[in-house]
């Protein structure tokens, strides 16, 4: 092991200190990667949920289209039934 340099040359950082700092940074990176993996997993779940909701909404919309048509036909039918007695006189 080398001796620390004389005090007039500036700040001395020992190899042990350097190693400890590198380990601290590496541990922080590992924690960030774990959090990122969890975020990505949540995002995948959200995408699947949104796709499911989109599919369900499309099915509901597809089932509703006859309702306005039936209402319009019922209105026309009522108008015709109301007009028949007027036209018979």
């Amino acid at each position: 092991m080398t001796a620390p340099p004389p005090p007039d040359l500036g700040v001395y950082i020992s190899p042990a200190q350097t190693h400890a700092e590198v380990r601290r940074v590496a541990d922080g990176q590992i924690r960030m990667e774990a959090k990122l993996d969890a975020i990505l997993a949540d995002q995948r779940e959200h995408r699947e949920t949104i796709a499911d909701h989109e599919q369900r909404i499309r099915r509901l919309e597809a089932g509703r289209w006859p309702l306005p048509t039936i209402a319009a036909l019922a209105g026309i039918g009522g108008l015709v039934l109301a007009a028949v007695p007027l036209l018979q006189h």
Side-chain angles (χ1 to χ4, degrees), residues 9-85:
L9 293 180
V11 176
Y12 174 75
I13 301 173
S14 72
Q17 290 172 320
T18 303
H19 177 72
E21 183 64 18
V22 168
R23 288 298 311 157
R24 189 184 68 75
V25 170
D27 290 344
Q29 182 180 4
I30 290 169
R31 284 192 308 274
M32 285 184 2
E33 287 174 350
K35 289 178 182 179
L36 182 59
D37 289 341
I39 289 170
L40 291 175
D42 285 347
Q43 185 183 21
R44 278 191 289 276
E45 289 175 14
H46 289 306
R47 269 188 279 163
E48 291 170 2
T49 301
I50 289 171
D52 179 54
H53 288 183
E54 181 72 23
Q55 188 179 45
R56 292 169 67 190
I57 289 171
R58 297 233 182 257
R59 280 197 310 259
L60 287 172
E61 288 174 344
R64 283 193 63 196
W65 76 265
L67 294 177
T69 306
I70 292 170
L73 291 175
I76 292 171
L79 182 63
V80 168
L81 288 175
V84 167

